[in-house]
Amino acid sequence: MTKNTTTNPKFKKFARWFWIAIISGVAFVALLFLLAGIGTFGKLPTFEELENPENNLASEVISIDDKTLGKYAYENRTPVQYKDLPSNLVEALVATEDERFYNHSGMDAKGTLRAVLKMGKGGGASTITQQLAKMLFTRKASGNIFKRIIQKIKEIIIAVRLERNYSKHEIITMYLNKYDFLNQAIGIRSASRIYFGKEPKDLKIEESAMLIGMLKNSSYFNPLRREKLVKQRRNVVLKQMTRSKFLTEKWKDSLQQRELGLNVHRESHSDGLATYFREYLRDYMKSWIKDNPKPDGSEYDLYRDGLKIYVTIDSRMQKYAEEAVQEHMANLQRSFLKEHKTNKNAPFYFTKLTRRETQKEITKILNSAMHRSERWRKMKKVGKKEKEIIASFNEKVKMKIFSYKGDIDTIMTPKDSIRYYKHFLRAGFLSIEPQTGHIKAWVGGTDYKHFQYDAVKQQKRQVGSTFKPFVYATAINQLKKSPCDKYPNTLYTIPKEKYGMEDDWTPKNAGESYGGERTLRNALANSINVITARLIDEVGPINVANLAKRAGIESEIQANPSIALGALDLSLYEMVGAYTNLPNKGQRVEQNMLLRIEDKNGTVLQEFVPKTNEVLSEESAYVMLDLMKGVTKNGSGARLKSGWTANPDKIITGFPYLFTNPIAGKTGTTQNQSDGWFMGIVPNLVSGAWVGGEDRSTHFYGISKGQGASMALPIWALYMKKCYADKTLHISDKDFVKPANISIELDCDKATDEGQEGDKPIEDEDMPIEF
């Protein structure tokens, strides 16, 4: 008879030790959990920390049409809510990372047991909540096995506590908002925008699957470096979704055949729309933060507190403006470089200097740029001597340089690169809605990464004949001058004693064409300098300066006659803003770039209402618009409407434009063609463009290419064509609204107004004589 094993002393001993080991193991694990729970192995997060886990939230710049223009961040993270997540994304996450997510309380006992028995070879056991706990409070896994076990225990404890404090939906949302998807894509919203150029709610199933596949290891499954591998990983996720009954086999097979379909939109500051505007806004926000503390008295952190900054920029109009600048400047640059191929001093012209004086001036320009460069600043900061710094500018190094066809990898000396960049013409463009003061588009240059000096607000340049409307407006507002009033087209001298000048002032017309009489309408349309000189003498320079100040010019204006021809430096921001009163019945609404600022919870911290003031009477404003329509009808801006014009080397990009609607405008060109301007007005939009070299000696040789009608006007024309093509913008193509009672005569006799000598459109722009 076989002996009963249960009475076998050896078996009893084995069983006793077996259960002792099991109970001891369980007790040991329980003790570890107990000790970890009371903080023996390090502090656990408090309830308050669980309620408010540390997050670096990017502050977001949001356009008036609800598009994200950019962010200010240490981590490019903008959180979304659960309702913004597509169901396919959540399904892919649960199917791949935690099948029993909805059935556990932070720890998956079945998965943990499987991982222990298979020594981790059967897959990990971390739940979504545990992975969130690790991201929030552990962050970096220890390489020491004992320490890693303690970390795991702490993660489980934190996960259970998170489950008590948050719903399943909130945990999924926190997890996807926190994960680093690489390539500056922190959080699901940034990842969706950077990899696919869309919001999370618009993700397709295969796109969601790719992003969830990256959760395994985003550094390894990097779609910008290992596209084939990432596709394989995406297909694994699709297979998991099928296993969890979220997809059919047929649907899965179809999706697995598709390419990744990446549509990469990088989100560094130098990428995206409105880079120059966002940089100006960044500086503004720094001041705003100092003046608007939190309720507890501390300052907001622009890079961590998740502020929402709602701005007046319209993303569609901004896009059209940037496209217009790029299209024209690439074409203009082609012609500019072509002209300077035969110029030994390229890109500079010094027509009145000797060869020796010219070389001295060029050396002065290059040395000045060298001293202002970032390389000089950094080397000086670390204590390098001037001799060493200068020597470094003559040593060849690898660098990327700008071109309109894309950056070029090359080797050159930093000094040569300075001269290389001097060859590029610069541009600025600004567009404002006059009735609200809202800035709709702001283009400070052609490429922020390479040209960071903002030509809208930061830069001030001589404005040329774009200042003449202030002279005419003063005469109309003060003296009730009519566009039909005639003045002699002859040289006019203002004696030096009259306004305390050093010399008598006798300005000349471009081309020195004189004789007969011209109406004010004709004189402004064709930028007749001698008649503008007569007008400013008649109304007084101080009154012109005062009107310009009321219109929004903030820079100092010397009240002398030469301002009539634009011999003063102003910003494009000031000039466009100062024109906005004209289509708004003489009422100026201050330029405004901000609508409101909210905190991360949506609480409005400030709403912005612009200031208003009267500049002109309604009648005077309308008369000025009527005058300025002549510029585009039969004056220096006539190429906006005509089907033919002189177009040397095809530099008038996009010509012919064939606008048929009323447009008030003014061109401007400064001495030696150093600056080209165009200001254009329709009833609900005022826009201005400036083009010129970084240095005033960088310019076209002749007036035909260098005038404002050739350098700047095409940007305005291209922009407006795009805006009119987009019917959702509702840009007016109607005439300006005429006041009920006009006392000033506008209907000049056609023979008187148009039959005079020199009344035809002219191609040569005005060149103000510097005072």
Side-chain angles (χ1 to χ4, degrees), residues 57-63 66 72 78-79 81 281 284-285 288-289 292-295 300-311 594-608:
L57 301 181
S59 290
E60 192 172 7
V61 182
I62 303 168
S63 69
D66 205 32
Y72 305 116
T78 305
Q81 297 178 5
L281 180 62
Y284 174 88
M285 287 302 299
W288 182 89
I289 283 168
N292 296 270
K294 294 179 181 179
Y300 287 100
D301 190 322
L302 183 61
Y303 305 97
R304 288 192 171 99
D305 282 342
L307 298 175
K308 293 188 183 300
I309 308 163
Y310 291 88
V311 298
L594 284 163
L595 297 170
R596 68 185 184 278
I597 298 172
E598 296 178 358
D599 67 14
K600 64 182 179 182
N601 299 314
T603 302
V604 176
L605 302 176
Q606 185 174 349
E607 290 187 288
F608 295 82

Side-chain angles (χ1 to χ4, degrees), residues 280-340:
Y280 175 76
L281 180 62
R282 185 204 305 269
D283 286 340
Y284 174 88
M285 287 302 299
K286 288 177 182 176
S287 298
W288 182 89
I289 283 168
K290 289 186 181 299
D291 296 335
N292 296 270
K294 294 179 181 179
D296 64 4
S298 63
E299 287 188 355
Y300 287 100
D301 190 322
L302 183 61
Y303 305 97
R304 288 192 171 99
D305 282 342
L307 298 175
K308 293 188 183 300
I309 308 163
Y310 291 88
V311 298
T312 61
I313 295 288
D314 187 298
S315 69
R316 297 161 296 182
M317 297 172 77
Q318 181 68 31
K319 177 175 177 286
Y320 301 149
E322 292 185 13
E323 288 174 350
V325 169
Q326 285 293 316
E327 289 167 20
H328 177 58
M329 292 307 295
N331 182 41
L332 191 68
Q333 190 65 41
R334 170 195 59 79
S335 184
F336 185 76
L337 293 176
K338 184 178 176 182
E339 176 182 303
H340 279 273

Side-chain angles (χ1 to χ4, degrees), residues 54-90:
E54 182 186 347
N55 259 333
N56 291 327
L57 301 181
S59 290
E60 192 172 7
V61 182
I62 303 168
S63 69
I64 200 167
D65 56 321
D66 205 32
K67 302 293 182 184
T68 298
L69 296 176
K71 300 173 184 176
Y72 305 116
Y74 292 124
E75 292 182 352
N76 183 20
R77 182 205 323 281
T78 305
V80 296
Q81 297 178 5
Y82 185 82
K83 64 182 178 63
D84 300 315
L85 301 175
S87 58
N88 61 56
L89 183 73
V90 176

Side-chain angles (χ1 to χ4, degrees), residues 590-648:
E590 186 179 18
Q591 305 99 303
N592 185 25
M593 65 177 179
L594 284 163
L595 297 170
R596 68 185 184 278
I597 298 172
E598 296 178 358
D599 67 14
K600 64 182 179 182
N601 299 314
T603 302
V604 176
L605 302 176
Q606 185 174 349
E607 290 187 288
F608 295 82
V609 179
K611 299 175 183 177
T612 62
N613 65 276
E614 182 177 306
V615 179
L616 296 168
S617 69
E618 182 179 356
E619 180 184 44
S620 296
Y622 180 79
V623 172
M624 275 305 302
L625 291 170
D626 189 71
L627 262 177
M628 294 171 71
K629 284 194 290 185
V631 173
T632 62
K633 184 179 179 182
N634 54 17
S636 57
R639 58 188 54 175
L640 286 173
K641 297 189 173 189
S642 68
W644 182 92
T645 190
N647 191 3

Side-chain angles (χ1 to χ4, degrees), residues 51-52 88 90 123 133 206 230 253 270 289 356 374 465 471 495 512 568 597 609 627 666 670 681 729 737 744:
E51 284 290 305
N52 300 284
N88 61 56
V90 176
E206 65 272 23
V230 172
D253 291 342
S270 57
I289 283 168
R356 187 174 181 179
E374 188 68 8
S465 288
V471 180
E512 299 197 34
L568 71 166
I597 298 172
V609 179
L627 262 177
K666 188 69 194 81
T670 64
I681 307 172
L729 294 174
V737 178
I744 297 174

Side-chain angles (χ1 to χ4, degrees), residues 220-366:
Y220 187 65
F221 296 103
N222 181 350
L224 303 189
R225 296 184 62 188
R226 300 185 178 94
E227 192 166 335
K228 185 177 179 181
L229 191 67
V230 172
K231 184 179 177 181
Q232 292 172 356
R233 176 62 186 162
R234 180 204 67 182
N235 289 348
V236 170
V237 174
L238 293 171
K239 184 177 179 181
Q240 287 295 108
M241 293 179 73
T242 306
R243 176 182 163 182
S244 297
K245 310 299 184 186
F246 293 127
L247 294 176
T248 63
E249 282 286 341
K250 186 177 180 181
W251 199 0
K252 177 207 73 175
D253 291 342
S254 173
L255 293 174
Q256 286 182 334
Q257 298 305 311
R258 297 181 185 180
E259 297 301 319
L260 293 182
L262 296 175
N263 181 18
V264 179
H265 289 70
R266 296 187 181 275
E267 292 193 346
S268 69
H269 179 75
S270 57
D271 298 311
L273 289 174
T275 47
Y276 292 88
F277 169 79
R278 286 188 277 124
E279 187 57 33
Y280 175 76
L281 180 62
R282 185 204 305 269
D283 286 340
Y284 174 88
M285 287 302 299
K286 288 177 182 176
S287 298
W288 182 89
I289 283 168
K290 289 186 181 299
D291 296 335
N292 296 270
K294 294 179 181 179
D296 64 4
S298 63
E299 287 188 355
Y300 287 100
D301 190 322
L302 183 61
Y303 305 97
R304 288 192 171 99
D305 282 342
L307 298 175
K308 293 188 183 300
I309 308 163
Y310 291 88
V311 298
T312 61
I313 295 288
D314 187 298
S315 69
R316 297 161 296 182
M317 297 172 77
Q318 181 68 31
K319 177 175 177 286
Y320 301 149
E322 292 185 13
E323 288 174 350
V325 169
Q326 285 293 316
E327 289 167 20
H328 177 58
M329 292 307 295
N331 182 41
L332 191 68
Q333 190 65 41
R334 170 195 59 79
S335 184
F336 185 76
L337 293 176
K338 184 178 176 182
E339 176 182 303
H340 279 273
K341 277 185 178 180
T342 57
N343 176 16
K344 293 180 181 179
N345 299 314
F348 311 108
Y349 280 124
F350 296 98
T351 54
K352 296 180 180 180
L353 299 182
T354 65
R355 183 181 298 178
R356 187 174 181 179
E357 289 171 333
T358 295
Q359 291 306 313
K360 188 176 180 180
E361 282 299 313
I362 292 173
T363 300
K364 183 179 176 181
I365 290 170
L366 297 179

